[in-house]
């Protein structure tokens, strides 16, 4: 964990260069590549993007485990965060024909003190999972609310009408590299790191 946390920059930089160059080639502005070559470069770009996501997940987890995570606490507008997420997942919702419902309950403050990037990271992960495992025609709901017994906490809930998770697997999926079953990664993709990172980030954010 310590080693990976310190290697963060060295691991990302060369891959970012590959992605930028692949994107430039894919645009084929000089029209000197064949359609097959453009297709190959597109595959390189997509594979590189998948690899970068995996590296980012591993580095995030290693930073958390090494205690090297940095939080930038600021005043965050709740409605802005929800609006940004709606915009981000609108395309996915349209493509998969899934309805995205967002609810901000009465009593949720207009502003909260938190790390916006990390809060959005948690919410994106939960929403991505919900969309991944929900078939077309389904619904994904993001709810934000408070509770009387803990007035200083903001609760967020993501529910969906997807395949669901067996009760005995519901704790397991929050462990690193774990998924609901062995076929999940083959069928749906993913590293099995997102939920364990989200769980740790929630702890760090208090």
């Amino acid at each position: 964990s310590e080693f990976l946390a310190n290697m963060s920059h060295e691991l990302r930089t060369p891959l970012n260069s590959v992605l930028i160059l692949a994107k430039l080639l894919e645009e084929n502005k000089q029209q000197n590549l064949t359609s097959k070559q453009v297709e190959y470069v597109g595959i390189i770009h997509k594979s590189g993007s998948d690899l970068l996501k995996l590296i980012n997940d591993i580095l995030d987890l290693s930073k958390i485990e090494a205690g090297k995570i940095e939080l930038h606490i600021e005043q965050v507008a709740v409605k802005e965060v929800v609006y940004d997420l709606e915009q981000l997942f609108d395309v996915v919702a349209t493509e998969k024909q899934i309805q995205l419902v967002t609810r901000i309950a009465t009593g949720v403050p207009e502003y909260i003190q938190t790390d916006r990037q990390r809060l959005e990271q948690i919410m994106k992960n939960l929403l991505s999972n919900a969309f991944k495992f929900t078939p077309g025609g389904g619904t994904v709901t993001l709810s934000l609310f408070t509770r009387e017994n803990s007035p200083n906490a903001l609760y967020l809930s993501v529910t969906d009408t997807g395949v669901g998770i067996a009760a005995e697997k519901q704790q397991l999926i929050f462990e690193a590299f774990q998924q609901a079953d062995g076929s999940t990664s083959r069928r749906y993709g993913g590293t099995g790191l997102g939920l364990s990172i989200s769980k740790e980030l929630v702890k760090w954010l208090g």
Side-chain angles (χ1 to χ4, degrees):
S1 294
E2 187 83 21
F3 169 73
L4 282 174
N6 291 328
M7 284 290 287
S8 173
H9 181 71
E10 284 75 11
L11 283 167
R12 284 191 182 102
T13 304
L15 187 52
N16 277 321
S17 300
V18 171
L19 288 174
I20 291 166
L21 294 172
K23 193 68 184 168
L24 289 172
L25 284 171
E26 193 178 7
E27 288 170 3
N28 194 19
K29 286 183 178 175
Q30 294 178 337
Q31 298 295 309
N32 57 353
L33 296 178
T34 66
S35 58
K36 207 68 183 167
Q37 286 171 326
V38 171
E39 184 187 333
Y40 292 156
V41 176
I43 293 167
I44 291 170
H45 187 269
K46 187 189 179 302
S47 301
S49 298
D50 291 344
L51 182 57
L52 184 61
K53 186 180 184 310
L54 173 60
I55 287 173
N56 283 338
D57 282 351
I58 291 171
L59 292 176
D60 261 347
L61 194 62
S62 63
K63 275 186 175 179
I64 290 167
E65 289 183 346
K68 286 185 177 261
I69 193 167
E70 291 179 12
L71 296 178
H72 302 282
I73 304 299
E74 58 184 337
Q75 185 166 277
V76 175
V78 173
K79 282 184 180 175
E80 271 184 29
V81 172
V82 172
Y83 176 77
D84 286 352
L85 290 167
E86 285 173 340
Q87 297 300 301
L88 184 67
F89 285 95
D90 184 53
V91 178
V92 186
T94 304
E95 280 179 1
K96 290 195 74 176
Q97 296 184 311
I98 293 170
Q99 184 183 9
L100 173 60
V101 178
T102 57
R103 296 182 182 137
I104 302 176
T106 307
V108 170
E110 194 174 345
Y111 295 94
I112 57 171
Q113 292 288 325
T114 190
D115 183 317
R116 178 167 181 161
Q117 183 189 343
R118 294 304 186 178
L119 175 65
E120 288 186 349
Q121 184 178 350
I122 294 162
M123 294 166 88
K124 282 176 194 171
N125 181 259
L126 296 175
L127 285 166
S128 295
N129 280 341
F131 276 101
K132 189 194 295 186
F133 294 104
T134 300
T139 304
V140 171
T141 306
L142 168 65
S143 307
L144 283 83
F145 54 96
T146 54
R147 286 182 176 155
E148 284 184 16
N149 58 349
S150 48
N152 293 323
L154 175 67
Y155 290 83
L156 64 94
S157 155
V158 174
T159 56
D160 62 66
T161 56
V163 294
I165 303 157
E168 66 274 12
K169 298 287 174 69
Q170 286 175 11
Q171 294 305 312
L172 178 72
I173 59 169
F174 286 95
E175 302 301 322
F177 300 106
Q178 295 291 340
Q179 292 177 324
D181 64 71
S183 65
T184 300
S185 60
R186 286 196 294 275
R187 183 175 172 189
Y188 296 100
T191 59
L193 290 174
L195 287 176
S196 54
I197 290 168
S198 295
K199 180 183 175 184
E200 293 302 319
L201 287 176
V202 166
K203 287 181 189 171
W204 276 76
L205 290 171

